[in-house]
Amino acid sequence: MKKSSLFIFLLCIQLVFSFMSISYAQNTYRYIYDDNNRLTHLVKDDKVITKFIYDKNGNLIKKINFIPQNLTISSNSSTTVELRWDMVSEASGYFIYQNGEKLVNSIETNTVKLPVTSNTNYTFEVVAYDKFGESEKSNKITLQSKVQIPTNLKYTSITDKSVDLTWDPVSGVSGYYIYQNGTKLSNLIKTNNVKLNLSPNTDYTFEVTALNGNNESDKSNKLIIKTLPIPPSAPTGLTVNNVTSNSLTLRWNSVTGANSYYVYRKDSSTTLPYQIATTSATAVDVKDLEPSSTNTFFVKAFNGNFSQNSNEVTITMPDSENLDTFEPNDSIATAYHIEPGTIESYIWSSTDVDFYHVSPDTGVLTFTLEVEGNLDYDIYLYSKDGKLLKQSSTQLGNVKSISYNNAKASDLYIKVAGLNGSFSKINKYKLTYIYDDILVPGPDPGCDPGRICPNDGEKSVTSLLPLNEIPSMSIKSSALTKSQVAILEDLSKIGVSFERKIRAYNLLADVGKYGDIKWLLKRSKSIKDKTELGYINWTIAKLGYKYSKQNPNKSFSYVVDLLDSEDGKIQTWVRERLIELIGDSKKVDQIIKEHHEKENKTKK
């Protein structure tokens, strides 16, 4: 009984020393001993602050500061924060205090990644623990989680000079920064979209961040783009050819630098144009069109960037397979009879030809052909036995003309045909037939300069002025028709029939400008044919008389100079005009006398 009581007494004494507590004014410290009565823990206010480690022989080998040290932030984003601290040896683990509240999960390592809410303020502390309790808290750190990262950065438009960027907006931010090729642009963007000016055909990378105060988010997804090259010029000269009731061919001029062309169509069933073909050529066949439908076409050139639209062409498709109302007229035997005037028709296929019959009396016949579009048609004149009398195949352009001095009343035939298979079911041709019943068997200088006075026969011209010296004043007149321009251009061509040149001189006398007189004077010096010189003189006379009131002195001198003509009829006409201008025949005769005397002295 005495031994048992002693044992209990000694045990109580040991327990008292194992958990001895000493109280000071503000803190309570406890000392924890092991079974061998060795101090193992120093506890301050129930928080372990120091731990003591012994070897197997009971010797103190380590005194450990049990409070975690150097709590820091190793990474911070809009969704997570990663913390790190110095490891405490002999600790069973760690607890994190967030905003003063202990998180339930213990940590076994000295790092932890925690979820956070974007753009939010936090405080963090860490404690170590073992079986005797937790340590005191580490140093406190304060942070603000980063702003939410903008997402879905993309471009909505890109050109050779700019790009339009957009991204999903972030709530509660003051703006956004753009990073171009890794460099932050200086301007703060207030909205979730921006247009940036760039250089053509250049690679770029873009990222965006959100900003709230001084808190900037991490960068968004990286967007890689390349601006477009400088666009090519718009195609020109778009035309429609080879039209049938449901197909056609589009042609246009090539564009420097373009590697392909996009063809677009609009019709009555659509509001916006739509692409129908892509080609590297400058022509495309369009098929499966509806008869009678109206279609509009245009073309864009492409070199990695699109040009502006070409000119538009609009066409209503034929509603049948034959709009040639004069058919059948494919031979002399089936030729369609016409009278002087103008008709319109079509060359319907590559093998189609149209014959027309005329039966004039003696006189001058003129046939003029005008063609729409980029087509090349010719006209041919045949006798009733099929002999070719005239043709226009050496002429260029959309207007062709032939004249014929019909010395004997007889049946004649005109043929219209496409050159090299040229045809169109949409572009008409106009054939104009003019008949003049006055037949001039030879050159007639007395013919009024406003009339057409052809000469029978084909006389070659040995010297003609170049094309750029055709009557410059008249040829540029906006009042002239295509037919009149084509007639005047005959004066610039070598090998043109004499009757066509006469026609041109007489037209010039009628529509010419005052400045054309100088051109005629220059031309007269290069022409050796006396007959043609006669027509030149008559043309000068007509223009001089016509503009006598506008330029009286110069016009008068031009008319007086014609007194030197060897043709008596011209001299008579000039005298009559001078009397008309001056009003005194005696004074005119005196002028003529003085002029001849002056010329005789000059010759001597």
Side-chain angles (χ1 to χ4, degrees), residues 70-77 80-84 122 124 141-144:
N70 299 320
L71 176 61
T72 58
I73 304 167
S74 56
S75 69
N76 180 17
S77 73
T80 62
V81 60
E82 187 171 358
L83 305 177
R84 180 180 296 275
Y122 290 92
F124 291 99
I141 57 173
T142 301
L143 65 87
Q144 185 181 32

Side-chain angles (χ1 to χ4, degrees), residues 87 117 122 125 149 156 163 173 200 204 224 280 335 339 355 364 391 428 445-446 464 544 553 558 562 567 597:
M87 182 177 291
T117 302
Y122 290 92
E125 298 161 294
I149 301 173
T156 57
V163 64
V173 299
Y204 291 92
I224 301 174
S280 59
E339 296 291 339
F355 277 88
V364 178
Q391 68 182 63
K428 303 174 183 178
L464 284 175
N553 294 331
Y558 287 148
L562 291 176
D567 193 305
E597 290 175 350

